[in-house]
Structures are given as structure tokens and as C-alpha cells.
Amino acid sequence: MNINESILRTKLEEIVNAYPKVSGQQAYLSPTANSVLQNAEKELREFKDEFVSVEHLLLSLLATKDKISSLMKDVGFDRPD
């Protein structure tokens, strides 16, 4: 994929560690996470696949406007033509 894995790993850990921690409550998806899953289903239909794969999730995540998407783009992730 031609990305800088060490920068990705370091920055990703920083972002994840900055998220608030939840304890004693039922876990739920954030609006962004829910949107990524819904858009992954759209990617699935576009590729005429049967199951949502990591590729669909990554493409869907790239389309968001959050920190993870920005990081992915900064280290070299790009949507293929």
C-alpha cells in the first residue's frame, strides 16, 4: 500500500488513547462509526460483492472527515481510481 506504517501506528495510538473511556455502560457506536458501516455496505454493492470486507471498511473510512481518515490520507492511503 506504500504507507509509512510506523507513523500510522504511532499517530493511531495517540488518537485512540485520546478517546474518552467508558465503563459500566452499554457500548454503542458513534455516529461516525455507524456511518462508516452503512457506507461500507454501499461499497459492497458498488463492487458487487457478497460480504463486507476490510477493503470496504477502509474505503468507507477514507470518505469520512474525522481524525482517522485524515491520518490515513497523511500516511498515503488513497482511493484507487
Side-chain angles (χ1 to χ4, degrees):
M1 296 182 85
N2 200 22
I3 61 168
N4 189 324
E5 185 180 343
S6 64
I7 291 175
L8 175 64
R9 184 181 311 269
T10 301
K11 294 294 184 180
L12 188 58
E13 286 177 4
E14 288 174 10
I15 291 170
V16 169
N17 289 333
Y19 285 142
K21 308 295 184 258
V22 177
S23 63
Q25 297 179 3
Q26 184 173 349
Y28 63 93
L29 289 176
S30 69
T32 302
N34 190 43
S35 174
V36 166
L37 290 176
Q38 289 177 351
N39 289 333
E41 289 182 345
K42 292 177 186 174
E43 295 288 346
L44 168 130
R45 288 189 292 277
E46 184 177 315
F47 284 99
K48 296 179 174 63
D49 290 333
E50 294 183 45
F51 304 98
V52 173
S53 70
V54 172
E55 177 183 16
H56 302 126
L57 292 169
L58 289 174
L59 290 171
S60 179
L61 186 54
L62 269 174
T64 67
K65 296 184 184 337
D66 71 349
K67 293 177 190 176
I68 302 297
S69 176
S70 295
L71 172 61
M72 290 172 64
K73 292 171 187 169
D74 288 347
V75 298
F77 280 89
D78 194 13
R79 184 178 182 94
D81 295 328

